[in-house]
Amino acid sequence: MSERHFIKAGQGGDRDVFEYAVLRVVPRVERGECINAGVLVYCRAKAFVGARTHLDEARLLALDPMADVAGVRAALRAVEGVCAGGEAAGQAARDDAGRRFRWLIAPRSTVVQPGPVHTGLTADPATEVERLLDLLVR
């Protein structure tokens, strides 16, 4: 583990706490097999919630050759829409960033599921979304 993961009390600097969860695609819920397909990031201090997705279609079809790829892509786009807010968020558009994040990370038994929530420190939550997507999904 690199030095950047160890922070002593009072040494957070200009970084803020953020929370994140990996979005998993579980094509056959009864089997429990999954692939990582996106990340959700929430930073309360910056009132930021963001999501980025990347679906590896070949990996999905390896788990389930009959998977509804278009349906999975639509579900992932919907998550990004809720994070973006505005018209794409539907009824969630009126909710603040924290409430939208909490709704998205609520456990569910669907094809697109959130993983456990983890925390970290960041100076730029939007950059963190991209970093985590590269690290955990691609």
Side-chain angles (χ1 to χ4, degrees), residues 3 5-6 10 13 15 18 30 34-35 49 54 57 67 72 78 85 89 91-92 104 107-108 110 123 126 137:
E3 283 294 316
H5 293 286
F6 298 104
R15 297 184 292 170
F18 74 96
E30 69 278 8
C34 66
I35 63 169
V49 63
H54 172 81
E57 190 173 317
V72 170
Q91 289 182 322
L104 289 167
R108 56 198 76 207
T110 60
V137 178

Side-chain angles (χ1 to χ4, degrees), residues 36-91:
N36 293 348
V39 293
L40 297 165
V41 171
Y42 169 59
C43 180
R44 180 179 174 190
K46 305 272 192 218
F48 174 88
V49 63
R52 287 276 286 129
T53 62
H54 172 81
L55 182 61
D56 185 332
E57 190 173 317
R59 289 181 70 198
L60 174 61
L61 293 173
L63 288 181
D64 182 4
M66 302 302 291
D68 178 5
V69 175
V72 170
R73 286 194 188 283
L76 292 170
R77 277 193 309 273
V79 170
E80 289 179 329
V82 168
C83 286
E87 196 172 301
Q91 289 182 322

Side-chain angles (χ1 to χ4, degrees), residues 42 47-49 95-103:
Y42 169 59
F48 174 88
V49 63
D95 292 337
D96 64 29
R99 190 167 173 151
R100 290 195 315 266
F101 179 74
R102 298 284 172 239
W103 181 78

